[in-house]
Amino acid sequence: MAETKAKLPWIEKYRPKSLKDMAIPSAKSSGHKVNLAEELTNFVRNFFIEIKKINEINKEIRNHNRNATEKDQKEEIRLSFEKSAILLEGKPGIGKTSIVYALANDLNMDVIETNASDTRTRDALERKLNETTKSRGIMDFAKESRQKLILIDEVDGIYGTKDRGAVPTILNLIETTQFPIILCSNEFKQGLQSLYQKIKKVEVQPLSKLEAIKIASRVLKNEKISGISSGEIEAIVEKNGGDLRAVINDLQAIAKGSDFPDVVLLNNLHRDSIEEIFSLIRELFQDVKTLKEARNLTDRSDVDYNFLYKWVSENLPSFMHVNSDLANAWENLSLADEIFGRIRKNMYWGLLPYFYDLFAGGVTLSKKESDSRKGFVRIKNPQYFSSTTLNSAEKSLLEKINRKYNIPQDELMQDFLPFLQVLSSSSRKHQKIISDWFELDTKEKKMLKSD
Amino acid sequence: MINEIPIWRIKYLPYNLDQICGREQLRNRLKGIIEKANFPHMLFVGTEGIGKTTIASLFAREFLGKYYDANLKIIHANVPLTEEERAQARSDAYVSTTKIGSIAGKTVTMPAFVQVKVKPFVQVKVMDAPFKILIVKNFDALGKNQQGFRRLMETYGSNCRMILITTKISGVIDPIVSRCQVFLVPQVDLTSFGKLITSIAKKESLILDEKTIEVLYKASGGKISKAIDFLQLSTISNKTVTLNDIYISLQKFQKGIVRSLLLVIFKGDFKKAREISRNILATYKYSAQELFTYLLLELHKLPLSTNVRASVINMIAEADIRAIDGQDNDIQVSNLLSKLCLYSEYL
Ligand SMILES: Nc1ncnc2c1ncn2[C@@H]1O[C@H](COP(=O)(O)OP(=O)(O)OP(=O)(O)O)[C@@H](O)[C@H]1O
Ligand SMILES: [Mg+2]
């Protein structure tokens, strides 16, 4: 047992088992502060009280219906959405999943969990959840068995835009459930609106710096690690901005006898929300009509400009197709890039407004001839290499090479194959040695000849 | 002779952590982890081609010792699923027609990648070792499918640790970064690079001087396998490697490729031209200015009228000047390409 415990990643080892062990993050619901532990405990307790009443009433209704004529039939009643489900929304690593498990543990309940890694079909979801929720007949008798709590974790992740089937499933589940449902999510998702509107939402705030430091120190003490100054602990906490999981991960890494993690470097890395950039790029290319509008748009966003203009560069060809438009747009973008370079080099911050106007308005307003694509345009991440699909000859060559030398396909195509081609074209002898060593057949040998 | 590996980059592959060139600090951290026999999920961040995967897999092998075979898996997130894998995912996703509801009888998307490639591995219990290790290359390429890793990393965390590899941390969603210890994998430094190249030269009985090594370092952008490729090409006819040999071997690469770029430009196909130029920049680590030089060289060989030639030179010169202060090679090159494409009817 101790053996396995030592093998746990610390974030699991230190996942709080009880509400009493954990720092309860502060929380808000419809604008008011709430005590999260109390809120959830009450929600669960209330649920069972209410559902019991409802079940009794429904039993009577069913009895009544059995003897009543068709037009005297009564409909069974249901618990309201708000009393059946609650949504916890908040940043990663602040204790959402943990608090649900801790609560269940304290109340001596089992958790039935579904999350973003599960098959996202209505069928699968129903199968997993219905096993426990719909079988009220049996459950009514099995009083002594442990009560259950349903956790739908990472709803924002489970439902990509295409998984429409899942929202009705969840709504239906909430309507008919015999167990309280808690949902967790990192951020608001448009596609989930119909769900969000009906249930109670609690915003979970990141832990305070003080709380996080307390927990970090406790972990260090428990692991008998000394030599990390309080200043360093504070730096780690600060860097991770309330993400306790990241704090604990960092601690585990330092404890490995390694030196201080790349705190400073990491602080400089940008992690802007991809979603925000997506919609910004779309608006920029599809809606903006004047320089001023473009300017307002970039001003309003929190996305680092340093980063934003690369997105513009990546996506420009998806919105413009006519060469004359493209030439104008690139003229402006390349000038923006040059100006940006000068700003950085010489600290000419006064040039910044030109930079903004050129890369945003200057680029998008170059669209004169190209038809406006109003529909949905897929936004691409700035990136230089995309993977290509191989033809059959290339595939068989890759396979042969991989028997001797493990190389992924994109590196083979971009890097290794051109080299092999030059090497084997240098002499017949080389060509023979190479194809012999990789045991290539005639077709594959042909690919070593560059065109 | 038959056993001799004819490709140097393969012949001189490192086979344990100690043989990794340079990156002392990172290596020591990883060795420390092996000693403690425990680590959290890790995220390796670093530019393309500098050895993240090599380091990660050597680490994993050393960590797992003789049990590595059954307990280690490397998957490439940017390689599309095969037909069979997709069929498997589809059959899992088919919603039976006996179900009532609007989507009955249809297939629904699901995280096929996670379902097919990841779950089967992480769910099967580890054998003999403390836990399994899953290495995911190009993790950022998963896009939205990254979501599927969140709880997976937690629930199966004690059975399987993951090493996620990416060239850009901005492409990895926050909840995943939160679940990992981040390691920045730096480029190899010139001194260690020099030591490695010198030792290869010794084994292959080559003669080369320091300046040549430096050029090799620059030309390969610190990518070791690339550098060894250049070295091998430079020695085809001669055991003494001079700067000139290196340049010639570099040029052999360039010729064909720059030509193919020009052809596309003549057709006025900007999208395609951009794709090719990006490939060139990525593969050969040229700066925008180097690419301009090669373009100019190739253009000179073409039969163009004086006027046209003058305009083209003008465009390249303009682009070249702008690239001096510009920050982003790709933007500066794209700018030139767009001008040339527009002008293509005269070419
Ligand atoms: N309030 C807290 N008190 C003590 N430990 C915490 C707390 N919050 C987080 N932790 C630590 O961080 C780890 C991750 O927390 P948890 O899984 O609950 O985050 P989450 O909010 O569900 O994140 P995500 O949105 O990424 O799923 C826990 O295992 C625990 O070690
Ligand atoms: Mg969670």
Side-chain angles (χ1 to χ4, degrees):
Chain A
M1 218 24 230
E3 172 64 9
T4 51
K5 187 128 195 186
K7 297 292 175 259
L8 283 178
W10 287 8
I11 43 166
E12 291 308 324
K13 188 168 167 190
Y14 291 102
R15 194 185 279 285
K17 306 281 174 306
S18 156
L19 291 178
K20 283 181 257 70
D21 297 342
M22 76 184 288
I24 306 296
S26 54
K28 268 203 278 189
S29 179
S30 15
H32 297 291
K33 260 189 107 142
V34 292
N35 178 321
L36 189 58
E38 266 173 32
E39 186 81 14
L40 290 176
T41 317
N42 289 341
F43 161 75
V44 171
R45 291 232 166 93
N46 256 329
F47 176 89
F48 285 114
I49 296 171
E50 299 273 338
I51 201 78
K52 198 168 159 212
K53 282 191 213 150
I54 295 229
N55 285 343
E56 268 156 25
I57 295 172
N58 280 340
K59 211 156 142 194
E60 269 166 36
I61 292 179
R62 276 198 299 278
N63 274 337
H64 164 91
N65 284 349
R66 217 169 290 142
N67 305 320
T69 57
E70 192 153 327
K71 73 178 204 307
D72 267 350
Q73 295 276 332
K74 284 188 195 160
E75 247 194 78
E76 291 186 31
I77 56 168
R78 283 171 172 170
L79 195 56
S80 70
F81 278 94
E82 270 159 63
K83 288 184 173 158
S84 316
I86 191 166
L87 171 75
L88 305 184
E89 189 176 281
K91 295 228 165 75
I94 57 174
K96 298 184 298 299
T97 306
S98 303
I99 202 168
V100 176
Y101 275 88
L103 173 77
N105 199 22
D106 287 352
L107 298 178
N108 199 21
M109 297 166 75
D110 287 328
V111 178
I112 305 161
E113 179 187 326
T114 169
N115 56 62
S117 75
D118 290 329
T119 310
R120 292 180 280 184
T121 64
R122 188 185 175 117
D123 195 29
L125 201 66
E126 276 177 355
R127 218 182 309 128
K128 181 158 185 178
L129 297 171
N130 285 354
E131 281 162 14
T132 31
T133 50
K134 285 261 181 70
S135 46
R136 52 179 106 160
I138 304 166
M139 278 306 161
D140 279 348
F141 297 110
K143 282 270 157 37
E144 70 277 24
S145 82
R146 272 154 68 97
Q147 289 284 31
K148 299 193 166 47
L149 193 159
I150 298 176
L151 167 63
I152 305 182
D153 210 356
E154 304 161 352
V155 251
D156 50 339
I158 305 184
Y159 311 104
T161 42
K162 289 187 194 132
D163 304 301
R164 302 243 165 69
V167 174
T169 309
I170 297 200
L171 285 173
N172 187 288
L173 174 75
I174 296 175
E175 273 194 306
T176 55
T177 184
Q178 288 292 304
F179 303 105
I181 300 177
I182 302 180
L183 301 93
C184 294
S185 162
N186 282 138
E187 52 192 321
F188 178 79
K189 277 275 156 64
Q190 205 65 39
L192 294 172
Q193 218 174 10
S194 55
L195 178 64
Y196 287 0
Q197 277 166 353
K198 298 202 167 104
I199 59 180
K200 182 167 189 178
K201 183 169 106 177
V202 179
E203 291 164 39
V204 185
Q205 248 87 56
L207 289 179
S208 71
K209 205 166 105 185
L210 219 65
E211 292 281 13
I213 291 176
K214 246 199 249 160
I215 295 171
S217 315
R218 209 164 57 208
V219 170
L220 289 174
K221 195 167 152 216
N222 203 353
E223 296 288 336
K224 305 200 175 50
I225 290 165
S226 51
I228 299 180
S229 73
S230 56
E232 283 167 332
I233 298 179
E234 201 176 324
I236 293 174
V237 166
E238 202 126 282
K239 162 202 148 197
N240 291 308
D243 181 344
L244 228 81
R245 182 192 291 119
V247 170
I248 295 180
N249 266 335
D250 278 350
L251 293 180
Q252 187 175 4
I254 307 179
K256 295 282 146 55
S258 66
D259 26 80
F260 207 59
D262 308 293
V263 171
V264 186
L265 277 160
L266 280 176
N267 268 338
N268 297 331
L269 292 170
H270 317 287
R271 287 207 251 128
D272 296 290
S273 142
I274 301 285
E275 286 296 325
E276 191 197 342
I277 301 180
F278 276 19
S279 65
L280 200 151
I281 294 287
R282 285 207 183 93
E283 239 177 285
L284 200 57
F285 279 103
Q286 294 182 317
D287 301 336
V288 161
K289 298 260 160 8
T290 64
L291 210 54
K292 194 153 168 239
E293 278 174 22
R295 193 54 188 281
N296 282 341
L297 196 62
T298 47
D299 279 354
R300 215 169 359 112
S301 107
D302 305 323
V303 181
D304 194 336
Y305 51 79
N306 205 327
F307 196 44
L308 188 57
Y309 85 106
K310 310 232 163 171
W311 283 79
V312 171
S313 149
E314 183 66 48
N315 290 289
L316 201 168
S318 310
F319 292 94
M320 283 180 219
H321 323 283
V322 179
N323 277 344
S324 57
D325 287 357
L326 280 168
N328 283 333
W330 283 110
E331 171 63 27
N332 287 327
L333 190 56
S334 85
L335 186 59
D337 179 49
E338 185 187 7
I339 290 177
F340 188 54
R342 295 204 177 172
I343 295 174
R344 297 261 292 247
K345 206 178 278 173
N346 310 315
M347 299 286 145
Y348 289 156
W349 295 105
L351 295 178
L352 209 51
Y354 300 117
F355 169 71
Y356 271 113
D357 280 343
L358 282 165
F359 91 73
V363 168
T364 60
L365 298 176
S366 301
K367 191 167 71 186
K368 302 234 161 57
E369 306 287 323
S370 309
D371 55 291
S372 296
R373 289 209 167 168
K374 266 295 167 212
F376 181 82
V377 177
R378 208 170 64 86
I379 304 296
K380 298 185 204 128
N381 283 16
Q383 99 182 86
Y384 289 177
F385 337 102
S386 59
S387 199
T388 42
T389 28
L390 306 183
N391 63 33
S392 69
E394 289 166 336
K395 257 190 211 138
S396 79
L397 182 71
L398 174 67
E399 213 173 275
K400 274 280 167 65
I401 289 180
N402 270 339
R403 285 187 205 163
K404 297 264 165 136
Y405 175 46
N406 211 325
I407 185 168
Q409 67 169 53
D410 45 346
E411 275 168 47
L412 172 77
M413 297 310 286
Q414 281 176 11
D415 237 53
F416 193 50
L417 190 56
F419 161 72
L420 284 182
Q421 286 169 341
V422 179
L423 186 64
S424 69
S425 66
S426 68
S427 75
R428 278 192 175 264
K429 196 182 110 209
H430 274 100
Q431 194 190 345
K432 184 163 166 21
I433 295 176
I434 293 171
S435 44
D436 283 354
W437 194 71
F438 283 117
E439 297 164 32
L440 304 182
D441 62 24
T442 342
K443 213 164 120 209
E444 292 153 358
K445 262 186 226 165
K446 260 210 192 109
M447 300 202 47
L448 291 187
K449 296 210 177 83
S450 55
D451 25 33
Chain B
M1 263 334 261
I2 277 295
N3 292 328
E4 177 90 336
I5 301 173
I7 314 269
W8 291 1
R9 69 144 84 184
I10 304 176
K11 190 169 168 184
Y12 294 105
L13 233 38
Y15 49 85
N16 62 35
L17 275 181
D18 281 317
Q19 291 192 335
I20 298 277
C21 185
R23 272 99 27 128
E24 202 98 347
Q25 218 180 343
L26 176 65
R27 262 190 303 161
N28 287 340
R29 275 171 79 174
L30 293 176
K31 286 211 259 179
I33 289 176
I34 294 177
E35 242 158 66
K36 299 255 158 132
N38 193 3
F39 63 91
H41 298 298
M42 305 200 272
L43 179 65
F44 279 22
V45 187
T47 37
E48 184 251 336
I50 58 168
K52 296 182 296 297
T53 314
T54 313
I55 295 175
S57 50
L58 287 179
F59 162 77
R61 275 177 188 221
E62 254 170 86
F63 186 90
L64 296 171
K66 60 182 170 186
Y67 305 115
Y68 91 86
D69 229 10
N71 294 315
L72 173 64
K73 184 173 176 173
I74 302 180
I75 52 180
H76 299 270
N78 60 337
V79 177
L81 294 183
T82 64
E83 216 15 79
E84 299 96 75
E85 286 168 336
R86 248 174 294 154
Q88 187 193 332
R90 265 198 302 273
S91 76
D92 286 352
Y94 186 73
V95 179
S96 123
T97 37
T98 59
K99 288 275 163 194
I100 334 159
S102 58
I103 59 159
K106 293 185 189 137
T107 32
V108 184
T109 46
M110 54 180 239
F113 183 86
V114 174
Q115 205 64 33
V116 177
K117 296 231 181 184
V118 183
K119 263 200 170 171
F121 179 76
V122 300
Q123 282 174 334
V124 173
K125 252 204 117 23
V126 58
M127 306 239 295
D128 308 311
F131 40 75
K132 299 175 132 183
I133 298 179
L134 176 73
I135 299 179
V136 189
K137 271 204 80 174
N138 294 84
F139 187 77
D140 50 279
L142 283 178
K144 281 212 156 83
N145 276 342
Q146 293 176 23
Q147 298 281 7
F149 276 74
R150 291 165 58 178
R151 272 304 267 165
L152 214 60
M153 293 172 81
E154 294 176 341
T155 17
Y156 298 104
S158 52
N159 189 45
C160 178
R161 299 289 207 281
M162 300 193 189
I163 304 179
L164 311 177
I165 297 180
T166 181
T167 49
K168 45 185 189 322
I169 199 168
S170 59
V172 179
I173 58 173
D174 281 357
I176 297 290
V177 178
S178 157
R179 281 160 174 77
C180 297
Q181 171 60 38
V182 180
F183 286 84
L184 298 172
V185 181
Q187 203 180 51
V188 61
D189 58 297
L190 179 58
T191 323
S192 317
F193 177 85
K195 271 191 205 142
L196 176 75
I197 296 295
T198 314
S199 85
I200 293 178
K202 211 163 160 193
K203 285 182 196 133
E204 301 290 338
S205 34
L206 310 173
I207 301 160
L208 78 176
D209 60 20
E210 226 152 87
K211 181 86 187 116
T212 315
I213 293 179
E214 226 180 292
V215 171
L216 206 52
Y217 182 69
K218 280 208 190 111
S220 62
K223 282 166 82 173
I224 292 170
S225 40
K226 194 86 266 208
I228 300 180
D229 287 354
F230 285 147
L231 187 65
Q232 186 171 10
L233 286 184
S234 315
T235 57
I236 288 174
S237 51
N238 200 331
K239 291 276 176 197
T240 309
V241 186
T242 64
L243 278 186
N244 203 29
D245 294 324
I246 302 271
Y247 287 131
I248 290 174
S249 74
L250 279 173
Q251 261 168 19
K252 281 188 189 141
F253 271 113
Q254 291 139 19
K255 244 185 16 214
I257 297 159
V258 173
R259 250 201 219 131
S260 66
L261 176 59
L262 277 175
L263 279 177
V264 177
I265 291 175
F266 291 164
K267 285 191 202 132
D269 186 346
F270 172 77
K271 262 195 170 169
K272 188 87 200 150
R274 188 183 200 205
E275 198 186 305
I276 296 180
S277 77
R278 284 177 156 197
N279 257 329
I280 298 177
L281 291 182
T283 311
Y284 305 111
K285 296 282 173 206
Y286 294 160
S287 67
Q289 280 155 319
E290 280 167 304
L291 184 66
F292 296 154
T293 318
Y294 298 129
L295 271 176
L296 199 59
L297 277 175
E298 284 298 310
L299 272 166
H300 271 309
K301 295 180 194 151
L302 297 174
L304 301 173
S305 76
T306 322
N307 272 348
V308 172
R309 192 183 299 272
S311 327
V312 171
I313 292 176
N314 195 315
M315 285 178 206
I316 298 183
E318 283 256 351
D320 207 347
I321 290 173
R322 206 165 264 179
I324 294 176
D325 277 334
Q327 296 277 300
D328 186 320
N329 273 337
D330 179 56
I331 289 181
Q332 296 306 335
V333 172
S334 298
N335 179 34
L336 177 64
L337 296 179
S338 73
K339 304 265 149 60
L340 288 172
C341 284
L342 181 62
Y343 198 67
S344 63
E345 41 194 299
Y346 304 102
L347 291 172

